[in-house]
Amino acid sequence: MTDLEHVVIELRRGETEVLRVTRKLYGEKPFTEVRVYFRTDDGALRPTKRGCSIRDRELWNVIDALQRIAGKVGSTPPASTAIGPPLQRGPASPNQHPSDRGEL
């Protein structure tokens, strides 16, 4: 069961789906989840099996890989996707959520 959940961004994918990036805390272990959600008939969003969790120790490697891919396909971030200050590298308390440190 998730103890903490912070939705960082949702990107619409058609009429019934969204791609959601979420910071979560399971027990004392923080992680990032990227998952597709679908909208039910009553309007609620429900997770699908399409997605993955990324451990904090893997996060910068994943970000680096995605930035390299974005550069190769000529993708540039639109100004409207800004969600706050960029992530800061450095030591962090495992019990403190990154959004509490101003990192997300």
Side-chain angles (χ1 to χ4, degrees):
M1 176 77 53
T2 302
D3 298 328
L4 176 84
E5 187 170 313
H6 171 75
V7 177
V8 178
I9 191 169
E10 283 185 348
L11 302 172
R12 189 173 175 173
R13 300 180 116 196
E15 294 182 27
T16 61
E17 290 185 338
V18 297
L19 178 66
R20 182 183 277 184
V21 177
T22 309
R23 284 293 291 163
K24 293 185 174 188
L25 187 65
Y26 185 79
E28 293 187 17
K29 296 182 180 187
F31 64 97
T32 300
E33 181 180 76
V34 179
R35 183 159 309 281
V36 175
Y37 283 70
F38 71 97
R39 192 165 305 281
T40 62
D41 291 338
D42 65 356
L45 284 174
R46 300 280 184 246
T48 69
K49 292 183 179 182
R50 300 181 319 211
C52 69
S53 60
I54 304 166
R55 296 176 179 142
D56 283 0
R57 69 176 184 263
E58 303 166 328
L59 194 56
W60 286 110
N61 290 330
V62 172
I63 290 169
D64 180 58
L66 292 172
Q67 286 176 334
R68 284 186 279 130
I69 292 168
K72 288 183 180 186
V73 300
S75 178
T76 57
S80 63
T81 63
I83 56 171
L87 288 171
Q88 300 295 315
R89 295 181 193 235
S93 165
N95 297 325
Q96 188 179 26
H97 193 277
S99 61
D100 295 334
R101 296 189 305 265
E103 295 179 359
L104 290 180

